[in-house]
Amino acid sequence: MVTFFLFRLKIERSPNPQIFDGQETPSELIQKALKEVHERESHEDNHTWRIGNYRSLDDNAVFFALGKFTKKNVGTFDENNKRFGQQSLEDALYTYVLIDFKQQLCAIAHNSKIAPDVNSIARNLARLLTATRVAKTINIKFVIPAIEDPKKFIEILKNAYSIESFSISFSKPNPWDADQDFHGPMQNLLQETDATEGKTTIKASRGQSLHSSPLERLTHSIASTGNQVSARVKPDGRSKQKTIKLEGGQVSFSTDEIDSDDDRKSLWQKMKDLYEAVRGM
C-alpha cells in the first residue's frame, strides 16, 4: 500500500518580467523545469537527487520516482587477509511523484527514509525546480504547499452560533481557479506590490455574526490553492469564542498498484477527483 499526499505546484513570478521571459504558461514552465531536473543530477541539502522511472501519462501528467543518494559506511571482511574493514557505499532512496501540469497539482508518496515528513520532500522538489536554468533565467520560484481537507473547518462554520472574524492568507497569483471575487484580487495585489504573502481579516459588528455561505466558498478556494484560513467562532450560545484553523489533515489517497500505466492513470484520476472535492465542485 502506497499513500500519496496532495500538494499544489505553484510558480511565483517576478513583478517585473525579465528580458527572456516569454510569459509561458505555468504548465509549460513546470514541464521545462522538470525535464531539466530529469536530465541531470541535482544537489540540494548536501545530497544528490535524481529523477528516474519517468512516465508520461499523456500531455498533461507525468509519474516518476524522485531519489536521494546518501553515502554510508558498511562493515566488510576480507577473507584472504582475514581483516575487518569499512567500505563507503551510496544508497539510492526514492519515492513516487505524480504531477498534473494543467491543474498544477502534485501528489507525493511519503518515504520516511528520505525525510521525516512528506512536506520536507515537497520542499526539496520545489528547490530542485527553482534551481534550474529555466527558473533562474526568468527569475521564477516554485513552491509546493500542502492541500488541507476543508470539510471539518466548513462544518464548524456552518454549525457555529456566531462567527466573529474570518482571516485568510494568500500568496502571489498562479492558480487559475482562485475565487475571483476576493481571493484572486488579493493575490494580484501581492504581485503588483512585490509582496511575498498577505493576510486579510474581516470582522462582524459587536454582537453580530458573519454570514457563513460566502466564507464557505472562500474556504474551498483558499484550501485548493494551498493557503491558510482561520476564524473566531462561538460554537453555541453558552460557550466562549475560540479560534479554529484549517487543520482537517492533508488530503491523501492510497493505492496497491502503480506498476502499469493503467494503474498510474487510475491514480491520476483519483487525485483529480479529490481535488475537485476540495474545490467544492
Side-chain angles (χ1 to χ4, degrees):
M1 179 73 70
V2 182
T3 300
F4 288 81
F5 294 84
L6 191 59
F7 294 83
R8 198 68 196 254
L9 177 49
K10 301 194 292 186
I11 295 171
E12 294 182 353
R13 289 182 182 268
S14 167
N16 301 311
Q18 304 298 300
I19 189 171
F20 301 110
D21 189 354
Q23 291 297 308
E24 293 158 297
T25 66
S27 176
E28 291 168 336
L29 290 172
I30 293 168
Q31 291 185 66
K32 282 187 174 182
L34 191 61
K35 182 180 179 183
E36 187 177 328
V37 175
H38 177 224
E39 291 177 346
R40 62 180 177 84
E41 69 177 28
S42 303
H43 301 277
E44 184 63 46
D45 194 27
N46 297 320
H47 291 97
T48 300
W49 292 80
R50 290 301 304 262
I51 283 180
N53 305 60
Y54 195 92
R55 299 288 297 179
S56 294
L57 303 185
D58 75 359
D59 291 340
N60 289 317
V62 294
F63 184 92
F64 58 88
L66 175 65
K68 180 176 79 170
F69 294 85
T70 60
K71 289 185 177 180
K72 63 179 182 179
N73 292 323
V74 297
T76 62
F77 183 72
D78 186 332
E79 183 65 41
N80 292 328
N81 297 316
K82 301 297 187 290
R83 291 178 61 89
F84 287 96
Q86 284 195 333
Q87 182 180 0
S88 179
L89 297 179
E90 200 167 49
D91 194 11
L93 305 170
Y94 65 93
T95 191
Y96 296 107
V97 180
L98 171 64
I99 292 179
D100 182 306
F101 299 125
K102 184 177 180 181
Q103 304 271 35
Q104 299 160 50
L105 292 176
C106 180
I108 302 175
H110 183 218
N111 182 342
S112 59
K113 294 182 179 179
I114 295 179
D117 61 83
V118 70
N119 295 301
S120 296
I121 300 174
R123 286 192 293 271
N124 275 293
L125 177 57
R127 284 195 285 262
L128 294 175
L129 294 171
T130 300
T132 59
R133 291 186 296 272
V134 171
K136 289 180 176 179
T137 299
I138 57 176
N139 193 23
I140 60 173
K141 178 182 179 182
F142 289 87
V143 292
I144 308 180
I147 294 181
E148 298 285 338
D149 190 340
K151 284 187 288 190
K152 182 179 178 181
F153 185 92
I154 290 174
E155 193 64 27
I156 295 174
L157 287 183
K158 282 182 177 181
N159 297 322
Y161 176 78
S162 64
I163 306 170
E164 180 195 67
S165 65
F166 184 85
S167 301
I168 68 168
S169 68
F170 46 91
S171 52
K172 287 184 178 181
N174 178 231
W176 52 271
D177 53 353
D179 176 82
Q180 296 305 306
D181 292 332
F182 182 76
H183 188 193
M186 289 296 99
Q187 290 182 321
N188 291 331
L189 176 63
L190 289 184
Q191 182 76 7
E192 293 297 323
T193 57
D194 195 22
T196 55
E197 59 184 20
K199 183 177 181 179
T200 295
T201 299
I202 55 175
K203 292 185 176 182
S205 300
R206 188 177 181 85
Q208 301 298 311
S209 173
L210 299 173
H211 297 300
S212 68
S213 294
L215 302 183
E216 293 166 25
R217 188 185 75 222
L218 264 178
T219 299
H220 279 294
S221 177
I222 297 296
S224 71
T225 55
N227 289 309
Q228 274 298 318
V229 59
S230 63
R232 288 282 292 172
V233 302
K234 196 172 182 180
D236 54 62
R238 296 186 301 268
S239 60
K240 294 181 179 180
Q241 291 175 348
K242 68 175 184 178
T243 299
I244 60 171
K245 296 181 179 181
L246 186 60
E247 297 174 329
Q250 193 171 344
V251 176
S252 64
F253 49 103
S254 300
T255 182
D256 290 318
E257 301 291 341
I258 51 174
D259 296 328
S260 70
D261 280 346
D262 285 342
D263 294 334
R264 293 184 277 265
K265 286 181 179 179
S266 177
L267 185 73
W268 178 28
Q269 186 59 53
K270 186 180 292 188
M271 178 176 77
K272 291 189 289 185
D273 290 345
L274 281 172
Y275 176 65
E276 289 299 306
V278 171
R279 288 184 62 207
M281 303 300 288

